[in-house]
Amino acid sequence: MASGPPYPFEGRKLQLLELLLGPLLVLLVSGLEPALGQKVFTNTWAVHIPGGLEEADQVASKHGFINYGHVSKMLYSFILLLQLCTVTWAEQQVSKQRKKRDTYQEPLDPKFKDQWYLYNSNHRDLNAKAAWQLGYTGKGVVVSILDDGIEKNHSDLMENYDPNASYDVNDGDPDPQPRYTQLNDNRHGTRCAGEVAAVANNGICGVGVAYNAKIGGVRMLDGEVTDMVEAQSLSLNPQHIDIYSASWGPEDDGKTVDGPAKLAKEAFLHGVTEGRGGLGSIFVWASGNGGREKDSCNCDGYTNSIYTLSISSSTQNGNVPWYSEACSSTLATTYSSGNLNEKQIVTTDLKSKCTDSHTGTSASAPLAAGIIALALEANKNLTWRDMQHLVVRTSHPAHLLTNDWRTNGVGRKVSHSYGYGLLDARAIVSLAKTWTSVNVFIYVSFLTFDRNIGAHLSINMSVDACIGTDSHVTSLEHVQARLTLSYNRRGNLAIHLISPAGTRSTLLHPRPHDYSSEGFNDWAFMTTHSWDENPTGKWTMEIENVAGASDYGKASFSFFLSFILSVNQFITDYWNIMIWCCREIGCMCVFDWKLI
Ligand SMILES: *[C@@H]1O[C@H](CO)[C@@H](O)[C@H](O)[C@H]1NC(C)=O
Ligand SMILES: *[C@@H]1O[C@H](CO)[C@@H](O)[C@H](O)[C@H]1NC(C)=O
Ligand SMILES: *[C@@H]1O[C@H](CO)[C@@H](O)[C@H](O)[C@H]1NC(C)=O
Ligand SMILES: *[C@@H]1O[C@H](CO)[C@@H](O)[C@H](O)[C@H]1NC(C)=O
Ligand SMILES: [Ca+2]
Ligand SMILES: [Ca+2]
Ligand SMILES: [Ca+2]
Ligand SMILES: [Ca+2]
């Protein structure tokens, strides 16, 4: 490509499978043949163009499309893709921050010595002190806790409180002060907020991981939680708030399969594409507390989403806590509570109090949000996806115990209980400083077919990933397998996905309480375990009825697999398009799936 990269769409085949969301702009590429003879593709491509019709026409003509349609609303378009491919990303600079070499002073707060998970002489900690020593304390970063409110005048939060990162969605006013009750039911958000940004060196309680960050709270759990309530919370002030921390989701009863509905989905999409000036809002999520019910966090559409950094817990002694859920979408882990003889989390509490007994995965997500705030301070140019790359690279198994640690195809240890392991504040700020944004590739693919599951079904598929062309993609980020299937008892199913490198992700483990016969309806099971692996080769999906042959129903399913490389997932969420954009300016490549 000595003469420079071609236009992304010129001379390439763009193929539309299916339109999902109402009226779309439909562009027709003239004179192209479908690349895959066997499938249902046509030469149309559906896009949403933010600028509306006029801009759509311009873009269409510039790239040799004919504009056949009209635009219903603003969405993400291939203009955006072009921008991502050319402008925004190609010109991104490595941030070179210079820090004053002040002599570092350990926080003097009375409870700091009890915050074993921030700093511990035995190194069983999140390495926060080492990050502070490098000069990173969260300055200039804004975090919002989506929960039951925040005590904004708490004496250990007040100084960092940010009204512009706060709102009361339950009552529709700007003041997120919790509703006080006898039992202090609404203390949760205030506790989470202190973990992130309790003030340092004020003689009160302990400190937050990012004790110089700005902290806000959205009151949204103290009332009926609707799709609208969630969406409003997730999309509060996205040009001001950098990180949203959430510790809620569907019921952890071990039988629910549920996730964001229409508006919340749009809020996520809007956040990652437009938030933070286009770098993308960062959503940190607690993986769930359904361990006792043998729940799977992959059945929770918020943690299972590629847009959320899903965080699990370890106990002080490095064990999997009783409440912890295992699944393949978990990215990493921080400390939280465990057995009675293990210490819990120290943080701010209602009525200007201090507690040393904050617990559950709810306590883990804010610690992660604080660490991520430190990384953002180290490099404000990180995209939402960069942040996930950093977490994958700098988290480590440490002393966390499980018999589930496996080495994946690129040599990283990964587990369904801990993801890539314990977050390390020092490691992530260090890598953040020199991190160059990941290249832009788009790679979305799918394969649809029906099969009977019976008692056991194994499907082998090969993917060429455009090997042999200059757009050969060699590394993965998230992998999603989108399944539609029916089965007489959903909880009896186990689903595994095995990558060409041999990494075996448990997309679903059996859930004893889940007697539903509703199956899965286009559920995008996600795994982080093949991160950075090469997608080329044979993929195997196994579906198994663990109850054995005596109890299997007839079932069929269709299957969708998408690999996300460096560009936002919105494409697959809105259109089942099989495309692949590569290099900075993006070439497109349709690649071939085969059943084998
Ligand atoms: C972030 O990237 C922009 C260009 O995308 C650049 O102008 C700016 O200097 C960068 N900031 C830092 C801190 O590197
Ligand atoms: C915080 O504000 C509430 C009223 O919203 C008040 O009752 C309480 O005393 C205040 N707390 C402090 C520490 O000022
Ligand atoms: C909040 O936003 C308003 C309007 O953008 C601005 O004037 C104000 O200074 C901000 N307040 C804080 C504390 O950042
Ligand atoms: C898939 O490949 C494996 C060998 O790698 C083989 O044992 C298995 O039978 C194959 N499954 C099908 C359905 O062909
Ligand atoms: Ca209020
Ligand atoms: Ca303090
Ligand atoms: Ca759950
Ligand atoms: Ca997630």
Side-chain angles (χ1 to χ4, degrees):
M1 303 222 290
S3 62
Y7 271 125
F9 307 113
E10 243 170 36
R12 300 281 176 171
K13 301 174 178 71
L14 304 173
Q15 322 209 335
L16 166 78
L17 177 67
E18 195 182 342
L19 301 182
L20 297 179
L21 273 195
L24 292 162
L25 172 71
V26 177
L27 301 177
L28 200 77
V29 190
S30 43
L32 295 180
E33 313 246 318
L36 303 174
Q38 92 225 56
K39 291 281 172 194
V40 285
F41 310 123
T42 72
N43 288 331
T44 38
W45 167 321
V47 293
H48 282 288
I49 307 283
L53 267 187
E54 211 171 289
E55 194 167 350
D57 274 333
Q58 279 173 16
V59 173
S61 69
K62 183 170 169 199
H63 298 290
F65 294 98
I66 302 158
N67 182 359
Y68 274 89
H70 86 122
V71 188
S72 63
K73 60 175 197 171
M74 192 187 112
L75 238 189
Y76 322 97
S77 66
F78 72 88
I79 294 180
L80 177 67
L81 293 186
L82 286 176
Q83 282 173 350
L84 288 172
C85 290
T86 56
V87 190
T88 323
W89 300 60
E91 293 181 1
Q92 223 147 52
Q93 305 282 308
V94 176
S95 146
K96 292 198 169 70
Q97 288 216 353
R98 301 283 183 261
K99 285 277 165 180
K100 271 196 232 157
R101 297 199 174 109
D102 289 335
T103 46
Y104 172 78
Q105 274 264 309
E106 191 168 298
L108 301 170
D109 305 64
K111 290 288 184 184
F112 176 65
K113 62 179 183 348
D114 298 327
Q115 293 185 293
W116 52 276
Y117 44 90
L118 295 182
Y119 170 71
N120 200 328
S121 55
N122 69 8
H123 300 300
R124 294 189 165 200
D125 60 30
L126 298 168
N127 222 357
K129 185 170 143 186
W132 301 333
Q133 277 169 325
L134 292 173
Y136 299 105
T137 54
K139 218 174 182 57
V141 180
V142 180
V143 183
S144 186
I145 306 288
L146 313 184
D147 210 294
D148 55 16
I150 178 173
E151 192 170 87
K152 60 184 187 305
N153 60 348
H154 190 292
S155 48
D156 208 16
L157 291 174
M158 210 161 37
E159 233 177 275
N160 287 336
Y161 177 71
D162 181 351
N164 289 347
S166 303
Y167 198 75
D168 181 346
V169 175
N170 289 133
D171 285 352
D173 65 62
D175 180 0
Q177 195 78 5
R179 182 175 57 90
Y180 291 90
T181 66
Q182 287 232 302
L183 294 174
N184 288 327
D185 308 282
N186 297 313
R187 65 189 186 189
H188 195 258
T190 300
R191 289 178 163 208
C192 291
E195 292 182 84
V196 178
V199 175
N201 295 317
N202 59 354
I204 301 166
C205 197
V207 303
V209 192
Y211 54 73
N212 284 322
K214 287 286 167 206
I215 186 79
V218 178
R219 178 167 176 260
M220 46 84 63
L221 290 183
D222 189 17
E224 198 189 353
V225 182
T226 61
D227 187 23
M228 175 70 97
V229 165
E230 294 181 0
Q232 270 185 285
S233 308
L234 293 166
S235 54
L236 180 72
N237 220 347
Q239 304 312 331
H240 179 69
I241 298 170
D242 299 304
I243 302 167
Y244 301 78
S245 179
S247 304
W248 43 268
E251 286 252 47
D252 285 327
D253 54 11
K255 59 186 179 188
T256 301
V257 175
D258 196 11
K262 188 172 185 306
L263 300 175
K265 258 186 199 160
E266 282 181 13
F268 278 126
L269 292 171
H270 189 262
V272 297
T273 51
E274 318 242 317
R276 286 200 304 130
L279 296 171
S281 307
I282 294 170
F283 300 103
V284 179
W285 222 273
S287 65
N289 286 338
R292 187 170 280 167
E293 313 300 332
K294 297 228 172 0
D295 199 9
S296 165
C297 31
N298 273 7
C299 292
D300 168 340
Y302 300 85
T303 59
N304 183 54
S305 162
I306 69 167
Y307 306 126
T308 57
L309 290 107
S310 181
I311 304 296
S312 278
S313 303
S314 161
T315 74
Q316 185 187 20
N317 293 335
N319 292 308
V320 177
W322 60 268
Y323 51 81
S324 169
E325 299 182 26
C327 71
S328 57
S329 59
T330 298
L331 205 58
T333 296
T334 63
Y335 287 104
S336 187
S337 56
N339 294 332
L340 289 176
N341 60 356
E342 290 172 291
K343 286 195 181 147
Q344 303 179 336
I345 303 300
V346 177
T347 184
T348 50
D349 206 355
L350 280 193
K351 301 180 182 159
S352 269
K353 288 192 185 133
C354 189
T355 178
D356 56 9
S357 55
H358 191 34
T359 59
T361 54
S362 308
S364 279
L367 290 174
I371 291 168
I372 283 164
L374 302 179
L376 259 195
E377 183 190 5
N379 183 350
K380 293 289 274 185
N381 272 345
L382 298 173
T383 67
W384 67 277
R385 286 176 35 259
D386 289 333
M387 195 58 84
Q388 298 200 21
H389 277 271
L390 293 176
V391 168
V392 167
R393 280 167 174 71
T394 59
S395 300
H396 49 90
H399 60 284
L400 305 189
L401 302 169
T402 172
N403 57 17
D404 170 59
W405 285 116
R406 295 284 181 278
T407 303
N408 72 7
V410 291
R412 291 196 187 105
K413 288 258 188 349
V414 65
S415 136
H416 292 83
S417 291
Y418 300 123
Y420 286 89
L422 204 58
L423 281 165
D424 181 326
R426 187 201 146 93
I428 200 169
V429 298
S430 303
L431 189 58
K433 272 192 294 186
T434 57
W435 183 257
T436 313
S437 287
V438 285
N439 283 329
V440 175
F441 295 168
I442 306 171
Y443 179 97
V444 183
S445 83
F446 72 98
L447 179 68
T448 309
F449 54 91
D450 294 318
R451 283 284 191 284
N452 286 332
I453 296 174
H456 186 271
L457 175 64
S458 148
I459 301 155
N460 291 331
M461 301 154 287
S462 82
V463 61
D464 66 7
C466 291
I467 196 165
T469 75
D470 59 5
S471 36
H472 181 205
V473 163
T474 52
S475 79
L476 294 168
E477 290 183 354
H478 315 89
V479 175
Q480 288 183 320
R482 285 167 75 144
L483 297 183
T484 296
L485 63 85
S486 56
Y487 208 71
N488 66 329
R489 187 176 168 124
R490 189 168 60 196
N492 282 349
L493 292 175
I495 306 177
H496 290 93
L497 182 67
I498 299 136
S499 73
T503 303
R504 185 179 170 87
S505 296
T506 303
L507 301 183
L508 178 70
H509 60 68
R511 297 192 303 165
H513 300 318
D514 182 5
Y515 46 75
S516 167
S517 58
E518 284 175 18
F520 291 96
N521 182 20
D522 194 28
W523 192 258
F525 290 98
M526 197 269 274
T527 177
T528 59
H529 291 202
S530 287
W531 202 279
D532 284 336
E533 287 184 3
N534 188 330
T536 308
K538 184 173 87 175
W539 290 79
T540 302
M541 166 150 293
E542 292 175 1
I543 304 186
E544 189 185 356
N545 177 349
V546 295
S550 64
D551 175 39
Y552 61 88
K554 193 172 169 177
S556 66
F557 73 102
S558 64
F559 177 85
F560 179 108
L561 187 58
S562 66
F563 307 133
I564 312 309
L565 282 143
S566 317
V567 152
N568 304 324
Q569 170 64 7
F570 60 80
I571 298 166
T572 58
D573 282 348
Y574 283 86
W575 322 305
N576 290 341
I577 300 176
M578 182 174 181
I579 54 167
W580 180 351
C581 157
C582 72
R583 301 279 158 82
E584 298 95 281
I585 195 158
C587 49
M588 293 270 187
C589 175
V590 175
F591 66 89
D592 211 357
W593 271 106
K594 285 193 205 74
L595 280 174
I596 54 174

